[in-house]
Amino acid sequence: MAAGLFEGQYVWHPAADDRLLASVSVDVRAGRYLSARDALAETHGDFALRAHRSLVLASEAADSDLVERWLAEEPVPEAALLWARVAVLRALRAADARDPRTEALERIALAACDRAATADPGDPTPWVAKLAMARLHRLRDQAPRGLLTAPSGPWRLFAHVLSLDPWHREAHHRFLACFFPRYGGSVTAAWDVAAFLGQRAPADSPLRLLPLVALVECYDPTQLLADRVWEQPQWRSTALAIHENWLPAAADYRFTPVLDLAYLAHALVMARREGEARAVFAAMGPYASRMPWSVFGDPAEQLSRARRACGLPVPGA
């Protein structure tokens, strides 16, 4: 990972410093898919990179017929995977907008995920795409032992993904989202699942961030001293442990994990550990994500506020 120095402006593109992905994104927006095939083909065996690239490219292709044309002209596993990603994204957008076409789009998305899984049985990514839609169906599998609230959810689908990749980052985040209050879950269930999953993960895994993600998701500004929650010993120690154990490992990633770094930087700033937060912002370089900053206001303003608290430069300064 080589994020590069901050040069006075934020870079919001989700490709971050994956320069190949950024270039391919331009091709996809222009209706060309050959570079997308190559960019996805080289991710075999690197499921984190495959998830990242396929998700970013799906966001670029969702408003065009590129994946349908590609699949018709060249029905390779990469085309099937991107179709699954695009179909799921369209279904989720429709559901969130209460679009009457949602049910039909869901059926298309499920069929696309099944086709991609059949085309490449060892790839967890199509199953992760399917897991992204689980929040729409409220699957009620019984929770395993070890959770205080024992919340039901898509546990069997999640277990299948883990059989292919035990520490798949996106799968854990998609699964956790099923328990968020805005998707019909509860604060206690979200915290319970986040703690359960985070504690299972290796100390140097980004999955240790899951409790901090749940903390942001369950943030309620109307609660007394809501902004002081991150200063509590349990949350401060969580953030400091991630800073110590995961941040050094992130330097070896093939792309800058901007979203994970942003959650960690936010938690450290809120916990008044600006010294540690500076190192996280340095690892991020100029790259930025809307979350978690958008939960607290305008993301650019909130990010700049956090950087200023650490004595770091911001755009326009």
Side-chain angles (χ1 to χ4, degrees):
M1 181 185 71
L5 298 175
F6 179 76
E7 297 181 349
Q9 296 295 329
Y10 300 134
V11 178
W12 297 93
H13 197 285
D17 56 346
D18 187 338
R19 292 181 174 84
L20 175 61
L21 178 58
S23 174
V24 173
S25 295
V26 174
D27 284 348
V28 168
R29 285 197 299 272
R32 300 186 292 267
Y33 61 74
L34 292 180
S35 62
R37 178 193 61 195
D38 296 339
L40 290 175
E42 73 168 38
T43 64
H44 278 291
D46 188 339
F47 296 138
L49 186 63
R50 192 168 182 82
H52 172 62
R53 285 186 175 175
S54 61
L55 192 59
V56 172
L57 292 177
S59 69
E60 300 287 2
D63 296 324
S64 72
D65 66 347
L66 179 137
V67 289
E68 287 86 355
R69 288 192 293 106
W70 181 13
L71 197 61
E73 296 170 7
E74 190 181 64
V76 295
E78 287 70 32
L81 174 60
L82 194 58
W83 183 46
R85 285 294 214 176
V86 165
V88 168
L89 182 56
R90 289 170 180 167
L92 292 175
R93 286 178 177 177
D96 292 341
R98 301 183 186 279
D99 190 311
R101 299 171 298 170
T102 297
E103 186 175 342
L105 290 172
E106 284 185 47
R107 288 197 299 269
I108 293 171
L110 289 172
C113 290
D114 289 342
R115 177 170 177 169
T118 300
D120 192 349
D123 183 7
T125 321
W127 296 97
V128 175
K130 184 180 287 190
L131 187 59
M133 290 197 298
R135 65 175 174 83
L136 304 179
H137 305 296
R138 304 303 304 156
L139 299 177
R140 297 291 184 179
D141 304 333
Q142 184 176 353
R145 295 179 180 179
L147 288 94
L148 295 175
T149 60
S152 59
W155 291 96
R156 282 183 290 185
L157 177 56
F158 183 54
H160 181 71
V161 177
L162 300 192
S163 72
L164 298 173
D165 185 4
W167 309 117
H168 197 287
R169 180 202 171 279
E170 186 187 341
H172 282 75
H173 282 264
R174 296 292 191 183
F175 181 69
L176 177 59
C178 295
F179 302 93
F180 289 165
R182 61 183 164 129
Y183 296 138
S186 67
V187 171
T188 53
W191 281 347
D192 195 11
V193 172
F196 176 76
L197 298 178
Q199 289 166 4
R200 291 175 62 253
D204 62 351
S205 168
L207 299 179
R208 289 282 178 158
L209 283 154
L210 290 171
L212 299 181
V213 174
L215 193 61
V216 169
E217 184 65 32
C218 298
Y219 171 74
D220 182 356
T222 66
Q223 295 292 317
L224 183 65
L225 302 177
D227 289 343
R228 304 293 295 273
V229 172
W230 285 264
E231 297 179 41
Q232 294 178 5
Q234 70 183 98
W235 300 118
R236 179 177 284 171
S237 62
T238 296
L240 290 173
I242 297 167
H243 173 272
E244 179 180 354
N245 296 311
W246 171 69
L247 184 61
D252 296 328
Y253 284 29
R254 290 184 63 180
F255 61 93
T256 299
V258 179
L259 185 58
D260 289 333
L261 290 169
Y263 273 102
L264 179 56
H266 170 265
L268 290 168
V269 170
M270 296 293 281
R272 301 182 184 275
R273 298 300 299 239
E274 290 84 358
E276 289 84 356
R278 284 178 63 95
V280 183
F281 282 124
M284 289 172 64
Y287 303 104
S289 62
R290 289 184 54 80
M291 289 292 286
W293 316 108
S294 60
V295 171
F296 305 88
D298 178 81
E301 292 177 2
Q302 293 297 316
L303 175 55
S304 292
R305 179 181 178 184
R307 288 180 62 92
R308 282 195 293 267
C310 298
L312 296 171
V314 300

